[in-house]
């Protein structure tokens, strides 16, 4: 029997699908769609209001009945044993060109394609190659369950079903492909198949008419449905055939899937475990097509389309890993979801089919802070940690070394300046070197370790010989590094870290792996993901304060949550969307006879969805996350914004992409979401490949300008280079001497019209990006000489002597060090080179201005 997913009772209210039944919510874009369109989830009810004289249901084949696992049809060609993808595509292009030249038609057969693709092969070799392609198609194809439900409904109503397809496959090959891919029960619902390669004409050239003539049916007796508006809808209507255009995806979803495919290409993934070489795998396409149009809430849609595919793939992989651990080591495999970031993986696991859920699972609160603290029970661990972490903020390190707040106040105090912080750090180091302090810390660490053991026992009650599978987002597995030996020795168990992303920076030799790890992706991909993954952490977490210890019974002691209530509410809706995706995946809107590359497909899916979201998020997604902040953990309560597009726009004008160096924001690609694609891809390529580009590589079109320094009784003139930054802007950086009362830049020599973006004073050290507190100070004492300001920031230089003059404003609380004035501007109209004059032409003007 054919098993299909039951579609919710949303039925169509008119033959033309103008609206949905009352109470059924859809997105506004759906409500505004054309009345001759049908959405994927509506397919089972397409005949509910069909006229009684309809006797034939005509269906397109590919992307209507048969869908592929991959993004594009040509992706299947990568799985061919005898041809490369481009060779197979080239063979088809040659065959069509020959057919157009000699027979004035475009339709060709698979045999004609292979005659061109393998011109020197004999007939048996070509037949074998054709058979291999048909087999590759069968592995890649599945039936879309809502379409099958429609077919079953048509049969129940007594209608005949025909498949009409523009394809190089013959009708016989196509019918056999359907049977091989999805089973004879589905193929048996079809009364006849019509292929353009047999007829020599496409649907746009009259194939539909030929099909109805062969079936001895009139135009008004048929209803045709297909995904191509021109070939399926317009061609049918031109012949008087009733038709509906199946809208697989809206434009936003199409763009998102296309960008995901692009990210997969840039990642260069090597799933390895798949028996096929199919590329462009997107196993979530059918789920998105069926369910996304029914989601009205933007936060839930974000969870469904982004977190859903990622964490469904993660949970699938975790189940495979648990089975492997069970087979390899015996005992019970206990799933420990490491809160806070393990919250969403746990929700997703619970949302899946009950028969797939772990028999022993628990939620444990083990932060990096408590894991590190619990590891400080030995002298070696103590000394090593002090040696590695000296240089942290002294208060943060002191808390990690388990000093009380009173002890921190006594040893460190409240330093505010760089000098005071340095002195406090030295006082702390001296304190930590004391033998008595080491004994106190190790005693407190032992208590922390005992509490952690009770916490684990309360969650899953492990027995000797069992395996604790630590489930977390990743990335280095620092908590596992700290407590692996502790858990093993205290509980007599094996420890296995299983992470969404695993990127070990040290060869620990511990049992760790990730859905996305070095066995399938190179180091550049892993680093690019981890550099921006804070947004996933914020969406996966729960509203709990970071754990700082345990009571005698193992119950977690936490800090108060620092995340705003509104942020938590949005996050919960996003997580609900991810759970909805998992439930939808469990309902399985596809029918197929085999799924030979499922593991590889879902890994590729997770990586491409993740990369696309991290580097190319769209406006709707970012509007959902606009108010989010991120906490940095390790005993710190510090919160930083995920992204700030407004600030980024100004920073780009001053520094170009190099403004990101040293930035504290955690989702920097989102800063660029409103910028052009060239800029966004430049950042993605730089982060993914680590190209090693320097600021000088971006400054090939500098402008040489004259600057003036005016002090008490002296002047200095120098030539500087204004370097390009972004979107046509340049920045001129003028070093400021302690004696300077004013500095000026002669813009008139290079520009007739200029747009002034900003004038700011910064430390020269800010160019290194090593400090996060090097914010530029806007200069307000700015005057213009020989310039007219026609609107804010838009200046007309009256002649070549025109200049911008800045009076530095010194603050008593600013950090010492060399300073500079940064003038960001964009030439609107440049001055002809022959009219430019040097600094001598501006002396009189400068004297007047001074």
């Amino acid at each position: 029997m054919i098993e299909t997913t039951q579609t919710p009772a949303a039925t169509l209210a008119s033959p033309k699908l103008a609206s949905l039944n009352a109470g059924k919510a859809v997105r506004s874009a759906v409500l505004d769609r054309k009345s001759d369109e049908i959405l994927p989830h509506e397919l089972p009810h397409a005949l509910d209001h069909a006229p009684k004289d309809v006797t034939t249901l005509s269906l397109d084949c590919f992307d209507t009945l048969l869908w592929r696992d991959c993004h594009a049809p040509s992706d299947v060609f990568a799985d061919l044993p005898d041809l490369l993808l481009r060779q197979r595509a080239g063979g088809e292009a040659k065959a069509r060109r020959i057919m157009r030249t000699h027979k004035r038609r475009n339709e060709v057969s698979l045999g004609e394609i292979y005659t061109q693709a393998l011109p020197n092969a004999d007939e048996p070799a070509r037949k074998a190659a054709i058979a291999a392609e048909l087999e590759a198609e069968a592995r890649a194809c599945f039936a879309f369950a809502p379409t099958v439900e429609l077919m079953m409904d048509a049969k129940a109503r007594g209608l005949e079903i025909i498949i009409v397809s523009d394809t190089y496959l013959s009708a016989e090959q196509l019918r056999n492909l359907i049977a091989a891919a999805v089973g004879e029960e589905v193929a048996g619902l079809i009364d006849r198949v019509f292929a353009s390669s047999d007829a020599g004409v496409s649907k746009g050239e009259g194939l539909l008419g030929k099909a109805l003539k062969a079936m001895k049916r009139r135009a008004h007796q048929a209803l045709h449905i297909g995904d191509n508006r021109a070939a399926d809808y317009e061609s049918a209507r031109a012949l008087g055939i009733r038709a509906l255009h199946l809208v697989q995806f809206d434009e936003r979803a199409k763009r998102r899937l296309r960008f995901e495919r692009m990210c997969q290409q840039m990642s260069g993934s090597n799933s390895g475990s798949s028996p096929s070489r199919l590329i462009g795998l997107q196993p979530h396409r059918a789920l998105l097509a069926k369910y996304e149009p029914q989601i009205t809430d933007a936060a839930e849609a974000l969870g469904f389309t982004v977190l859903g595919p990622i964490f469904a793939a993660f949970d699938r992989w975790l189940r495979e890993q648990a089975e492997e651990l069970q087979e390899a080591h015996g005992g019970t495999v206990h799933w420990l979801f490491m809160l806070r970031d393990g919250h969403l993986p746990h929700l997703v696991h619970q949302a899946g089919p009950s028969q797939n859920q772990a028999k022993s699972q628990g939620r444990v609160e083990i932060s990096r802070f408590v894991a590190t603290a619990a590891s400080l029970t030995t002298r070696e661990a103590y000394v090593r940690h002090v040696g590695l972490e000296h240089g942290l903020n002294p208060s943060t390190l002191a808390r990690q070394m388990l000093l009380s707040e009173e002890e921190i106040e006594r040893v460190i105090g409240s330093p505010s300046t760089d000098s005071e912080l340095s002195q406090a750090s030295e006082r702390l180091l001296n304190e930590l070197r004391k033998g008595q302090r080491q004994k106190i810390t190790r005693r407190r660490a032992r208590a922390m370790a005992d509490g952690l053991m009770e916490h684990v026992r309360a969650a899953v009650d492990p027995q000797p010989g069992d395996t604790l599978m630590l489930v977390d987002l990743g990335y280095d597995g620092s908590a596992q590094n700290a407590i692996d030996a502790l858990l093993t020795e205290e509980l007599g168990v094996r420890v296995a870290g299983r992470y969404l992303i695993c990127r070990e920076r040290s060869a620990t030799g511990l049992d760790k792996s990730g859905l996305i790890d070095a066995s399938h992706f190179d180091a550049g991909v892993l680093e690019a993901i981890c550099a921006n993954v804070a947004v996933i952490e914020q969406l996966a977490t729960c509203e709990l304060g970071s754990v700082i210890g345990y009571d005698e019974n193992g119950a977690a002691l936490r800090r108060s949550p620092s995340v705003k209530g509104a942020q938590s509410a949005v996050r919960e809706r996003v997580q609900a969307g991810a759970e909805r995706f998992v439930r939808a995946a469990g309902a399985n809107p596809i029918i197929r006879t085999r799924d030979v590359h499922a593991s590889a497909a879902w890994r590729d899916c997770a990586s491409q969805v993740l990369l696309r979201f991290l580097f190319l998020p769209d406006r709707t997604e970012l509007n959902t996350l606009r108010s989010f902040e991120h906490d940095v953990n390790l005993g710190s309560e510090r919160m930083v914004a995920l992204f700030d597009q407004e600030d980024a726009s100004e920073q780009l004008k001053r520094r170009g992409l190099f403004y990101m160096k040293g930035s504290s924001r955690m989702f920097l690609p989102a800063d660029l979401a409103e910028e052009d694609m060239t800029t966004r891809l430049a950042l993605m390529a730089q982060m993914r490949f680590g190209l090693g580009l320097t600021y000088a590589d971006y400054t090939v079109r500098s402008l040489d300008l004259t600057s003036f320094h005016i002090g008490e009784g002296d002047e200095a003139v120098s030539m500087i280079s204004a370097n390009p930054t972004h979107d046509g802007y340049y920045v001129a950086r003028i070093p400021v001497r302690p004696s300077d009362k004013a500095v000026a830049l002669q813009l008139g020599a290079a520009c007739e019209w200029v747009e002034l973006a900003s004038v700011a004073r910064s430390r020269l050290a800010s160019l290194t990006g090593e400090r996060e507190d090097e914010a530029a100070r806007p200069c307000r004492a700015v005057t213009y000489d020989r310039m007219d300001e026609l609107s804010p920031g838009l200046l007309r230089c009256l002649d070549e002597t025109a200049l911008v003059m800045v009076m530095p404003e010194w603050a008593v609380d600013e950090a010492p060090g060399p300073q500079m004035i940064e003038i960001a501007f964009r030439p609107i109209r440049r001055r002809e080179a022959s009219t430019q004059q040097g600094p001598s032409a501006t002396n009189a003007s400068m004297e007047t201005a001074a």
Side-chain angles (χ1 to χ4, degrees), residues 332 506 546:
T332 300
S506 299
S546 182

Side-chain angles (χ1 to χ4, degrees), residues 588-600:
N588 196 19
I590 67 176
I591 299 169
R592 68 191 319 155
T593 58
R594 51 188 163 167
D595 194 356
V596 299
H597 44 244
S599 295

Side-chain angles (χ1 to χ4, degrees), residues 157-186:
R157 296 170 186 263
L159 274 63
E160 59 191 3
I161 298 174
I162 62 174
I163 299 295
V164 185
S165 178
D166 287 343
T167 177
Y168 40 73
L169 302 183
S170 68
E172 180 182 4
Q173 288 171 332
L174 186 54
R175 203 271 182 202
N176 291 340
L177 172 61
I178 295 171
V182 305
E184 188 58 45
E185 289 182 87
V186 174

